[in-house]
Structures are given as C-alpha cells and as structure tokens.
Amino acid sequence: MSVDVRPFPELVDADRAGLDPPYDHFDYVGTRLRAPKEPLVIIPSTLTELTGPAYGESTVDPRDADLTRQHAGQPLGERMVLSGRVLGSDGKPLRGQLVEIWQANAAGRYPHRADQHDAPLDPNFSGAGRTLTDAEGRYRFVTIRPGEYPWRNHYNAWRPAHIHFSLFGQAFMTRLVTQMYFPGDPLLEYDPMYCCIPDQHARKRLVSLFDWESTIPEQALGYRFDIVLRGRDATPMEKP
Ligand SMILES: [Fe+2]
C-alpha cells in the first residue's frame, strides 16, 4: 500500500495538473524505484499531524539567514543575495512562513557523508539556512553561489547550479519542497529533474532572476526567486 502524505492537499488539485513533476520519470533514474506502484491512499489528517511538531519563532535566529557568517572564516566562492516573496493565491503575501534552504558549496560539494564527489569541502560553509517571511511575505538570504555537481544519473550527468527550498507551513505535514536555478545555465536542458516538469512555462518559474536592486556594490550579486503556492503562476513543487 502506498500512502499519500502530500502536504497542502488542498493544493494538489486540478490547477496543479502538469505543474509538479511526476512520481515516475524514466530519465530521472531514482524515481523508477521510489515511485508508488499502487494507487495512492489518502489518509485524513488528524489534529496531531496538523499541529505538531511545530517550530517557534524564537528558535529562528536572524544569523541563520546569512550562510557566509556561520563559521569563523568566510566561505570561498561568489557571494550572492537571494531574496523573494512567498505568495498565496491572488498574489497575497504569506507572512511568518519558515523558509529553509540547503545547497552545495562553491565547488559543488555537500558536507554530507553520502556526497563523495571529488571536490573540496569548505570548512567555513555548511550550506543550510532559514528565515521567516515578513509582513509582505519577503525573505532574504546571503549565501555563496553553489557549484554544479555530478550525480551519476546517466553518463556525464551534472546537476545545474541550484538551491533547495523548503516551506514549512505550520507543521511537517504542510511542508513543500522545490529547487531554484540560475538564469542562463546551459545545464538546465540536460537535467531530468528540471525537464520532468511537464509544463515548460512552469519549469521556467524555477529559474531565479538576476536582481540589480538587491545587488550590493563590491559585495554580492542579487537574485530574486518568488514562490507562488496557488493559481496560474504557481511554483512547481517536488513530490515528498
Ligand atoms: Fe542538490
């Protein structure tokens, strides 16, 4: 039996058809094994799933949003400011949303034992950050532009530079996950994770925009990435 634990079940509706990647996409090899083989069974959410575990705003430190200042020294690589808004239906800003990111370092390496890519770790970069959206739904991170990395999905497979995003909602059951890419990346058209999003226009909504306004002179380039949860401009989300 397969269990549907998709978050925000109200979002999994007709207007997301063609928007989210399928469970099973032949070119994305990992999905061949993990995709459900049986029809999904929807389990009604109970109070426990909807109310806990929760996070408290007090546990989110403003320093969590600056990935370049989490260690004694500065990480290697190109600094960037990553900002945007989290929007609901009709462009309504979602305030107080926990936005988490995780990413490879500038050399394309994650500090995780499963990542054995022959590229250097950076002792000054953990690659994880979080913040809460403000009253206008805005979030902002300072980080390092991640490097591309190989992933053995097929011969000569390289992931485009990307940053993983999680929107937590109010509990684990309401978590949404997606990835952000960079404009003009030549690897996008070769990437099964990007290309398995059926709607070509929706795919492009995962590509951030270079943002002159948030670029800091002498310091960091700005990129903008808005996340829209519903409606015509909704952002594609990964399957849990
Ligand atoms: Fe990744």
Side-chain angles (χ1 to χ4, degrees):
M1 182 181 77
S2 299
V3 174
D4 186 350
V5 289
R6 285 176 292 183
F8 288 124
E10 70 275 18
L11 297 186
V12 186
D13 51 21
D15 65 12
R16 295 190 72 81
L19 182 63
D20 298 327
Y23 281 108
D24 191 355
H25 182 71
F26 187 79
D27 291 338
Y28 179 2
V29 175
T31 66
R32 295 182 202 169
L33 287 177
R34 70 168 180 247
K37 298 284 188 285
E38 303 291 334
L40 298 179
V41 175
I42 309 275
I43 295 181
S45 298
T46 64
L47 200 60
T48 308
E49 277 103 30
L50 294 173
T51 57
Y55 67 91
E57 290 189 13
S58 60
T59 63
V60 181
D61 190 297
R63 288 172 297 188
D64 294 345
D66 189 341
L67 285 71
T68 67
R69 295 182 186 277
Q70 295 176 347
H71 297 274
Q74 294 223 26
L76 293 171
E78 183 181 300
R79 281 185 295 261
M80 58 177 276
V81 173
L82 172 54
S83 61
R85 297 175 80 196
V86 179
L87 304 167
S89 53
D90 306 327
K92 221 173 87 181
L94 295 179
R95 59 182 298 183
Q97 296 293 308
L98 181 67
V99 182
E100 298 172 298
I101 60 170
W102 63 99
Q103 62 167 102
N105 68 21
R109 178 87 187 262
Y110 287 98
H112 189 283
R113 64 184 182 281
D115 186 349
Q116 295 300 313
H117 170 34
D118 181 20
L121 289 167
D122 186 338
N124 291 312
F125 192 71
S126 298
R130 60 184 187 161
T131 191
L132 293 167
T133 57
D134 69 9
E136 298 300 316
R138 290 181 297 232
Y139 70 86
R140 180 180 184 275
F141 292 101
V142 178
T143 185
I144 294 291
R145 185 179 170 122
E148 301 82 358
Y149 58 80
W151 64 304
R152 298 182 179 175
N153 180 74
H154 53 277
Y155 173 71
N156 212 6
W158 290 81
R159 296 285 346 268
H162 61 278
I163 294 180
H164 299 268
F165 270 74
S166 159
L167 294 178
F168 208 79
Q170 295 305 310
F172 281 135
M173 284 297 288
T174 57
R175 191 181 186 214
L176 293 171
V177 173
T178 192
Q179 294 183 42
M180 181 215 93
Y181 300 94
F182 289 85
D185 192 327
L187 290 173
L188 284 172
E189 63 178 292
Y190 300 100
D191 184 49
M193 280 196 216
Y194 176 75
C195 293
C196 74
I197 297 162
D199 183 331
Q200 294 197 20
H201 299 290
R203 262 179 229 174
K204 290 178 182 152
R205 295 201 284 274
L206 295 182
V207 180
S208 58
L209 300 171
F210 169 68
D211 184 21
W212 191 257
E213 294 299 317
S214 60
T215 293
I216 306 173
E218 319 288 329
Q219 272 289 313
L221 294 183
Y223 289 90
R224 181 178 176 84
F225 181 58
D226 290 340
I227 298 169
V228 182
L229 296 188
R230 295 201 73 161
R232 216 164 53 98
D233 299 322
T235 306
M237 297 289 172
E238 294 174 10
K239 298 283 190 273

